[in-house]
Amino acid sequence: MLDAPRLRYHCPYELQFEARLYQDMAIVEGLRGFVVLERQAGADAGALQYADETLRAEFGLGLHKRLVALHYTGIPAPVFCERDETQNSPVAAMARPGPRPQPLIDPDAPVQTNLRLGDGPWPN
């Protein structure tokens, strides 16, 4: 399965990050780790807005759709970052859900096996 393209952005003060956009989430990776942002349901159908409790990101802004606005809860003004000049593909969300971790398996859950208990014949 193809992964979403990595979109590289450059911000003020020589900060940079990469983002992968999916239909339901965005993964933003920087020097200090990564964050998973959920897609905002109240946004326009074509809007690429993702958020969590500390950050709201709006991708595809500006005349050439190369800007992203980062709205942090602790900073009053948005931070605008520009997409890397070498990337020419349009900013769009991948048409599939983002990767999710596998659910934890209950160690006490019953497990189906092909072992037979008892002395009866095999069921047909």
Side-chain angles (χ1 to χ4, degrees):
M1 187 179 289
L2 293 175
D3 196 14
R6 291 179 178 268
L7 307 172
R8 288 187 303 273
Y9 286 91
H10 300 282
C11 306
Y13 307 109
E14 298 182 20
L15 299 175
Q16 55 189 342
F17 68 91
E18 289 184 345
R20 289 180 286 163
L21 307 179
Y22 299 94
Q23 69 184 18
D24 63 340
M25 69 190 308
I27 300 174
V28 179
E29 298 176 69
L31 293 174
R32 294 186 175 182
F34 72 96
V35 65
V36 176
L37 305 174
E38 298 294 327
R39 186 134 187 207
Q40 296 299 285
D44 300 341
L48 296 173
Q49 295 181 6
Y50 301 86
D52 69 359
E53 60 275 352
T54 62
L55 171 64
R56 183 171 50 93
E58 298 177 79
F59 290 90
L61 301 177
L63 181 62
H64 299 290
K65 309 231 181 266
R66 301 184 63 80
L67 298 177
V68 61
L70 303 175
H71 303 270
Y72 290 93
T73 55
I75 301 175
V79 176
F80 289 95
C81 304
E82 187 174 7
R83 192 158 164 226
D84 191 280
E85 297 173 352
T86 61
Q87 295 183 314
N88 295 324
S89 61
V91 175
M94 187 75 164
R96 70 173 182 90
R100 301 279 181 181
Q102 295 294 326
L104 296 175
I105 298 173
D106 180 11
D108 297 325
V111 177
Q112 263 190 346
T113 67
N114 60 354
L115 299 177
R116 182 171 62 100
L117 299 174
D119 290 335
W122 281 98
N124 292 333

